[in-house]
């Protein structure tokens, strides 16, 4: 709540700002889809495809790094010295 006791709480202002930003982003995406000549459904499907590919790539990267970490720790156990 603001210190003078008037106006909206900070959380309400932040939420309103986030909602406005989200609406502007949706409008921009809609206009971009129209320029490309695709429907909202096609644009959403494209987004889902790209987003899912990014999530999958991040998951694979974490898995790959985890595997390397296990190998490194095992080698550190067997090879004396500072690593």
């Amino acid at each position: 709540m603001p210190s003078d006791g008037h106006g909206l709480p900070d959380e309400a202002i932040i939420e309103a700002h986030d909602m406005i930003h989200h609406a502007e982003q949706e409008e921009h995406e809609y206009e971009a889809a129209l320029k490309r000549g695709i429907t909202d459904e096609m644009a959403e499907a494209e987004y889902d495809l790209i987003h899912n590919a990014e999530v999958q790539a991040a998951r694979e990267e974490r898995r790959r790094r985890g595997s390397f970490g296990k190998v490194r720790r095992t080698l550190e156990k067997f090879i004396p010295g500072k690593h």
Side-chain angles (χ1 to χ4, degrees):
M1 187 67 95
S3 61
D4 62 359
H6 295 86
L8 295 171
D10 292 342
E11 296 84 24
I13 294 170
I14 292 170
E15 286 182 24
H17 176 267
D18 290 346
M19 287 174 41
I20 291 169
H21 178 70
H22 180 73
E24 289 172 343
Q25 187 173 1
E26 289 283 327
E27 181 180 12
H28 174 72
E29 291 171 2
Y30 174 76
E31 290 173 356
L34 282 178
K35 286 181 182 176
R36 293 176 55 207
I38 62 175
T39 65
D40 281 345
E41 292 81 17
M42 293 169 71
E44 287 185 27
E46 180 182 58
Y47 170 81
D48 290 342
L49 179 68
I50 292 169
H51 179 71
N52 289 336
E54 290 171 344
V55 168
Q56 179 70 22
R59 187 180 303 126
E60 289 295 321
E61 181 66 18
R62 282 192 307 274
R63 186 185 61 75
R64 187 185 64 76
R65 287 184 183 205
S67 296
F68 179 73
K70 291 176 187 174
V71 170
R72 182 177 47 83
R73 285 189 299 275
T74 301
L75 288 174
E76 288 173 354
K77 288 179 185 176
F78 294 114
I79 300 173
K82 195 160 190 126
H83 299 277

